[in-house]
């Protein structure tokens, strides 16, 4: 697969490593570098319904984060969760006691890349650490 981004193009509005935007491209590249196979992943946004702007309300975040445990219950084979960004990290307490290996990463958006280049470089290692936590034979 080639990169998912072309200058000046927007994404689909859904979280996907195949969108035509810089965040999707970096998602694809970080997962590839970490050795995280597409068929071993499920991606979701802690705020599942986008309100059309970058600012997410507290209520939207709280409601989205509260659904994380419901989602995990539907995914019995999940072993590892990577919380990507500060907003996603707010769901971590809701995953306590699930037995999941939880990892945190900076968000992989162009804004983070531009504002925190030294930290941006650490995203790859955070995702690789999560990949190493996966069982060689996934639970089914």
């Amino acid at each position: 697969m080639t990169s998912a981004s072309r200058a000046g193009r927007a994404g689909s509005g859904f979280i996907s490593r195949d969108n035509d935007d810089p965040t999707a491209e970096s998602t694809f590249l970080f997962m590839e570098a970490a050795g995280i196979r597409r068929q071993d992943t499920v991606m979701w946004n802690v705020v599942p319904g986008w309100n059309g702007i970058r600012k997410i309300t507290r209520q939207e975040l709280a409601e989205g984060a509260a659904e994380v445990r419901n989602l995990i219950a539907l995914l019995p084979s999940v072993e590892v969760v990577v919380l990507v960004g500060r907003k996603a990290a707010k769901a971590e307490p809701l995953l306590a006691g699930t037995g999941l290996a939880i990892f945190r990463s900076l968000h992989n958006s162009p804004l983070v890349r531009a504002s925190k280049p030294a930290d941006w470089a650490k995203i790859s290692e955070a995702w690789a650490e999560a990949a190493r936590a996966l069982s060689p034979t996934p639970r089914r």
Side-chain angles (χ1 to χ4, degrees):
M1 180 172 156
T2 60
S3 74
S5 175
R6 290 189 201 119
R9 300 292 305 262
S12 66
F14 295 94
I15 186 170
S16 170
R17 72 186 90 202
D18 296 326
N19 279 345
D20 197 10
D21 65 67
T23 301
E25 179 178 20
S26 65
T27 298
F28 175 82
L29 294 173
F30 282 133
M31 287 186 160
E32 183 176 66
I36 300 172
R37 300 178 323 159
R38 177 183 299 270
Q39 61 267 31
D40 292 336
T41 64
V42 175
M43 296 182 356
W44 69 89
N45 197 321
V46 75
V47 180
W50 184 44
N51 65 12
I53 60 174
R54 278 198 186 127
K55 181 162 177 48
I56 303 299
T57 68
R58 278 191 186 152
Q59 181 176 348
E60 288 170 321
L61 183 57
E63 289 171 359
E67 289 301 320
V68 169
R69 280 188 78 95
N70 293 333
L71 179 62
I72 292 299
L74 297 172
L75 302 168
S77 296
V78 170
E79 299 175 353
V80 175
V81 173
V82 179
L83 299 168
V84 179
R86 288 188 326 257
K87 290 179 175 108
K90 295 188 185 232
E92 187 170 5
L94 299 167
L95 297 172
T98 61
L100 297 169
I102 309 293
F103 296 87
R104 285 184 176 198
S105 166
L106 282 178
H107 198 282
N108 57 317
S109 74
L111 293 174
V112 173
R113 184 177 192 169
S115 65
K116 300 176 181 180
D119 292 336
W120 172 269
K122 298 175 187 173
I123 293 173
S124 204
E125 181 51 35
W127 293 16
E129 186 179 353
R132 289 189 294 271
L134 288 170
S135 301
T137 308
R139 303 180 285 165
R140 298 282 177 220

